[in-house]
Amino acid sequence: MTDMLYDNPGLKFKNQDCIGESVWQSPSNIALVKYWGKKGFQIPSNPSISFSLSKSFTETRLSFQPAKGKDFNVKFSFNNNPQPDFEKKIISYFKSLTKIFPFIEQLDFDIQSKNTFPHSAGIASSASGMSALALTLCDIEQHCFNKQTRLDDFFQKASFIARLGSGSASRSVYGGWVAWGAIEGMESTSDLYGVPIKNYIHSDFLNYQDSILLVETGTKTVSSRIGHDLMNSNPFAKVRFSQAGQNAKRLVEVLKSGDIDEFIRITESEALSLHAMMMTSQPSFILIKPQTINIIDKIKAYRKETGVPVSFTLDAGPNVHLLYPKSVKDLVKEFINTDLMPHLSENGFIDDEIGAGPRKLI
Ligand code: PMV
C-alpha cells in the first residue's frame, strides 16, 4: 500500500505535548503529457509532464492536538464550511498513511482549506489540495520530530505522500516543469514521486502562460478515479501508454531546444488523445462540449493565419487551456477578447502562468 519507501514504525509522540499547526499554499498544475490510467495502487501507466500554476493554488491550515478518543479524528472545512463527505475521504487517506506517519493515530486534526480559483473551473483542485495536505503532514514530521531532512528529500517525500492521495498532486509540490513516472533515458524520474525537470529549459518555456477559457463550470460527470479504472479495459490502452511514454521523452527534449512547433504538436495531440480515451472507454463518456470544439477550431485558424504560437490543452473537462509564451501575451489578449469571448461562459477566463511552487506560511 505505501510502497514501503517511507515506512517509519518508530515515529510517535512521547508525551502529550503534541499541539501545533502547519499552513501551506500549494499550486494546481496543468499536464501537457497526460496521466490517464494506473496500475496497482497509484502507480501511473505512463509518465506525465506538467507545469505548476502561479495564481491557482490551495491554502491549507492543519491544526493538531492529542486525540481525545481511541481513534484519531479529522474535521475538515472548505471556505469555512464543514465538509463531512470529504472528512471521510481524508480519514481513509490518513489511515493509509499510518505506517509512514504513525503519529497520525495520536492526533485529532482540524483542517481548513480554501482555493484561489472557482470550483470545477478546469483547474485540478485535487492536485493543489492533496499536495498542500501532504506538505503539512511532512512538515509536522520535520518539525515535531526534529528531522534534519535535506530540502530535496523533504519535497521528494511530500510528492510521494501527495501521490497516494491524488496522482497529479505528486507534481504540485514543485514549481516550474515537473515529471512524474519513469521516462526512458531519464534516470531521476520515478513512478513513486514527481521530479522537477531541472536540466536547461529554453527561455520561451520558462514563463509560459496558461489562460484557462471557461466554457462551463458545472461539476464533472465522471470522476478521474473511474476514468483511470476504465483504461484497464480500453482497447487502445497499450498504444496510448506507449504514445505517452514517447511524448514525455520528446517533450523533455523540446523544453530544452525551444522547438515550439513540436511543443504544439505534442501537447495538442496529448489533449485530444486523453479525450479519445474517454470516448473509447466502455462505457464511453464525453466531457468536451460544442464550445470546446469551436474554441479549438478558432485557435488553430488564428495560429495558421498569424503565426502566433498559441496552442491548447484540455484537462478532464470542457474548459480549454490556452498556452503561449509570454512574449505574445498582448496579441493573445486581443485574440481572446475579440475571437474567443463569445464562446465562453459568463465566468470568462482565468489568466495564469507557470509558478514557483508551494510556500510554507506557518
Ligand atoms: O490525479 P488524478 O487522479 O485526479 O488524475 C488526473 C488526470 C488528469 O488531470 C486528466 C491528467 C493529469 O495528468 O493531470
Side-chain angles (χ1 to χ4, degrees):
M1 188 78 160
T2 58
D3 311 307
M4 310 289 281
L5 185 60
Y6 289 108
D7 284 7
N8 206 346
L11 215 59
K12 286 227 166 196
F13 286 103
K14 296 212 168 35
N15 51 39
Q16 291 298 292
D17 192 21
C18 42
I19 293 182
E21 65 176 351
S22 169
V23 185
W24 278 81
Q25 285 181 344
S26 190
S28 184
N29 67 70
I30 179 68
L32 289 313
V33 175
K34 311 289 181 181
Y35 151 57
W36 199 244
K38 52 182 149 185
K39 31 187 192 191
F41 187 72
Q42 298 291 89
I43 298 295
S45 295
N46 62 257
S48 54
I49 296 180
S50 60
F51 63 73
S52 293
L53 295 171
S54 167
K55 295 182 198 151
S56 305
F57 56 83
T58 298
E59 184 176 310
T60 295
R61 174 182 299 268
L62 178 143
S63 315
F64 56 93
Q65 55 176 314
K68 292 205 177 67
K70 196 164 66 60
D71 294 323
F72 71 89
N73 194 22
V74 174
K75 277 202 188 117
F76 178 80
S77 58
F78 185 72
N79 291 339
N80 292 324
N81 296 315
Q83 306 286 328
D85 284 353
F86 208 70
E87 269 167 19
K88 285 184 204 133
K89 283 189 187 160
I90 295 182
I91 288 175
S92 73
Y93 173 53
F94 277 17
K95 275 192 178 146
S96 77
L97 296 178
T98 51
K99 281 210 170 108
I100 303 173
F101 298 130
F103 59 81
I104 284 180
E105 289 174 315
Q106 298 176 287
L107 301 176
D108 282 342
F109 300 91
D110 185 352
I111 305 169
Q112 291 172 30
S113 207
K114 55 187 180 198
N115 291 347
T116 55
F117 51 92
H119 182 56
S120 299
I123 298 175
S125 56
S126 64
S128 53
M130 295 315 283
S131 58
L133 199 53
L135 285 158
T136 59
L137 287 174
C138 291
D139 201 24
I140 298 181
E141 180 186 56
Q142 177 93 341
H143 289 101
C144 297
F145 296 93
N146 289 324
K147 289 193 102 197
Q148 303 295 322
T149 317
R150 286 187 324 128
L151 220 51
D152 282 1
D153 294 336
F154 174 84
F155 284 107
Q156 179 174 300
K157 181 165 184 178
S159 177
F160 179 97
I161 301 294
R163 169 182 62 90
L164 299 174
S166 160
S168 55
S170 66
R171 300 185 307 245
S172 273
V173 307
Y174 299 106
W177 294 89
V178 186
W180 168 46
I183 299 177
E184 200 193 302
M186 269 184 91
E187 297 268 288
S188 61
T189 54
S190 167
D191 285 348
L192 302 182
Y193 43 78
V195 294
I197 302 179
K198 275 194 184 142
N199 50 346
Y200 174 80
I201 301 242
H202 190 277
S203 57
D204 278 352
F205 293 121
L206 282 179
N207 49 17
Y208 230 62
Q209 306 291 301
D210 180 7
S211 297
I212 305 152
L213 309 169
L214 303 175
V215 167
E216 215 179 87
T217 49
T219 347
K220 272 193 286 185
T221 44
V222 178
S223 73
S224 62
R225 187 181 57 78
I226 293 173
H228 288 296
D229 285 352
L230 285 171
M231 284 302 280
N232 292 328
S233 56
N234 187 303
F236 304 104
K238 209 169 153 209
V239 178
R240 162 63 198 151
F241 298 148
S242 138
Q243 175 202 37
Q246 284 162 22
N247 279 341
K249 197 171 172 213
R250 190 77 191 103
L251 184 60
V252 173
E253 290 162 10
V254 162
L255 293 177
K256 204 169 167 180
S257 70
D259 184 345
I260 220 155
D261 291 337
E262 183 65 354
F263 175 85
I264 291 170
R265 189 195 64 75
I266 294 170
T267 55
E268 293 191 347
S269 154
E270 277 291 315
L272 296 175
S273 292
L274 169 70
H275 284 262
M277 290 303 106
M278 297 172 184
M279 292 180 207
T280 52
S281 289
Q282 293 290 329
S284 63
F285 57 104
I286 303 178
L287 298 184
I288 53 173
K289 300 283 174 194
Q291 292 295 21
T292 313
I293 296 174
N294 290 336
I295 291 171
I296 290 175
D297 283 347
K298 286 259 169 97
I299 293 170
K300 287 189 167 186
Y302 175 77
R303 186 170 68 225
K304 200 164 172 202
E305 229 169 79
T306 63
V308 176
V310 283
S311 61
F312 67 85
T313 190
L314 304 165
D315 201 44
N319 300 316
V320 181
H321 291 246
L322 185 64
L323 306 170
Y324 49 95
K326 199 168 189 168
S327 54
V328 296
K329 193 170 174 75
D330 288 346
L331 288 171
V332 175
K333 219 176 199 169
E334 206 181 305
F335 167 53
I336 295 175
N337 285 331
T338 53
D339 290 27
L340 300 180
M341 263 324 199
H343 301 288
L344 307 187
S345 70
E346 67 282 4
N347 297 307
F349 65 99
I350 297 171
D351 231 351
D352 214 330
E353 61 183 337
I354 290 197
R359 238 159 47 100
K360 175 172 159 67
L361 300 188
I362 295 176

